[in-house]
């Protein structure tokens, strides 16, 4: 099961966290000056975070500058993309999940790193469970709390390899996160919001030295 955040970053996508005042959204993606960005709700479970990342990748791949996404159709396309990307047909068929029970679904979802509901939908989409079984299973999973979360999950949220390296390099040069925030003209709290859940970062506002008293710090913006 590949780390999806690492995969996105390796292919030029910049991944950040949605700030706390935007948590009504699951995720958001956009392209600026040719650079793709994905903002994730890092307060969600690891399984749902992976699916949201794949969903936004779908938007970037299929709904680029040449085709601006609109409405339900675009969301359904991105949802189908994420489902197929995370749970490829050949792999699912190899698991012999025909007529899978709830217990089998809850076990198999760990292999794919997805939510129980997402795997149930994929099984129905591939014709491995009937429409009636899908609806019945989805209702039972909902009653068990799987509609909005993943009860009992121990899956750790995926983190950013790129951001961790950037902050580690800056730290080795003596720059604190608070000074980095000053360099890019945001409050330290804002910087913390945009990397929350992606790297272990503690904003340190203490100390008397500022960026103006240290070697110049150049960060790529945009």
């Amino acid at each position: 099961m590949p780390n999806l955040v690492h995969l996105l970053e390796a292919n030029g996508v910049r991944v950040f966290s949605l700030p706390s005042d935007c948590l009504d959204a699951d995720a958001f993606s956009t392209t600026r000056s040719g650079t793709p960005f994905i903002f994730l709700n890092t307060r969600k479970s690891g399984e749902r975070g992976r699916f949201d990342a794949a969903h936004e990748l779908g938007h970037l791949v299929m709904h680029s500058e040449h085709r601006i996404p609109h409405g339900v159709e675009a969301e359904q396309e991105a949802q189908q993309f994420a489902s197929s990307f995370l749970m490829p047909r050949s792999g699912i068929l190899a698991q012999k999940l025909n007529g899978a029970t709830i217990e089998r679904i809850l076990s198999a979802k760990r292999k794919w790193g997805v939510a129980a509901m997402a795997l149930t939908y994929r099984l129905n989409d591939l014709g491995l469970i009937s429409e009636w079984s899908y609806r019945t299973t989805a209702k039972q999973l909902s009653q068990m709390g799987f509609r909005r979360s993943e009860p009992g999950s121990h899956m750790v949220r995926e983190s950013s390899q790129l951001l961790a390296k950037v902050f580690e390099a800056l730290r080795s040069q003596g720059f604190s996160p608070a000074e980095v925030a000053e360099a890019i003209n945001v409050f330290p709290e804002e910087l913390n919001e945009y990397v929350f859940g992606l790297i272990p970062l503690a904003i340190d506002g203490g100390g008397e030295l500022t960026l103006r008293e240290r070697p110049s710090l150049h960060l790529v913006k945009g």
Side-chain angles (χ1 to χ4, degrees), residues 28-216:
F28 175 75
S29 59
T30 187
T31 300
R32 181 180 179 184
S33 301
T35 300
F37 291 81
I38 289 179
F39 295 83
L40 300 173
N41 184 336
T42 52
R43 279 73 170 179
K44 298 174 66 176
S45 72
E47 293 91 343
R48 289 164 187 265
R50 291 186 82 242
F51 197 91
D52 289 341
H55 180 101
E56 295 308 319
L57 175 60
H59 279 309
L60 291 174
V61 170
M62 299 183 291
H63 311 134
S64 63
E65 299 174 5
H66 305 293
R67 184 188 169 197
I68 305 301
H70 289 291
V72 176
E73 180 183 357
E75 288 304 310
Q76 289 178 338
E77 289 176 351
Q79 200 79 349
Q80 187 65 46
F81 176 95
S83 183
S84 301
F85 187 81
L86 294 177
M87 297 167 280
R89 182 177 184 276
S90 58
I92 292 292
L93 293 178
Q95 290 295 303
K96 303 185 186 305
L97 294 171
N98 304 65
T101 62
I102 285 183
E103 290 73 19
R104 183 76 175 93
I105 289 172
L106 293 180
S107 174
K109 83 182 186 75
R110 292 194 289 269
K111 172 179 173 58
W112 304 102
V114 297
M117 285 289 193
L119 179 54
T120 303
Y121 172 86
R122 183 63 169 153
L123 295 180
N124 178 241
D125 187 48
L126 292 174
L128 298 179
I129 59 174
S130 67
E131 187 67 26
W132 181 86
S133 293
Y134 168 70
R135 294 182 181 278
T136 301
T137 301
K139 182 178 179 179
Q140 291 177 316
L141 287 171
S142 180
Q143 293 171 342
M144 296 167 65
F146 286 93
R147 175 66 65 182
R148 297 186 178 278
S149 63
E150 296 303 304
S153 172
H154 299 292
M155 180 177 174
V156 178
R157 278 201 62 92
E158 295 181 345
S159 59
S160 167
Q161 194 172 50
L162 178 62
L163 288 174
K165 289 181 178 179
V166 167
F167 278 97
E168 181 58 35
L170 292 171
R171 190 179 300 111
S172 69
Q173 297 176 40
F175 295 106
S176 72
E179 292 172 321
V180 175
E182 183 180 342
I184 57 177
N185 298 315
V186 299
F187 291 110
E189 294 77 10
E190 289 182 86
L191 176 61
N192 220 0
E193 292 271 277
Y194 284 118
V195 299
F196 179 85
L198 292 174
I199 60 171
L201 173 66
I203 294 296
D204 179 12
E208 297 180 358
L209 296 181
T210 67
L211 287 176
R212 290 182 293 276
E213 299 169 291
R214 292 186 182 270
S216 60

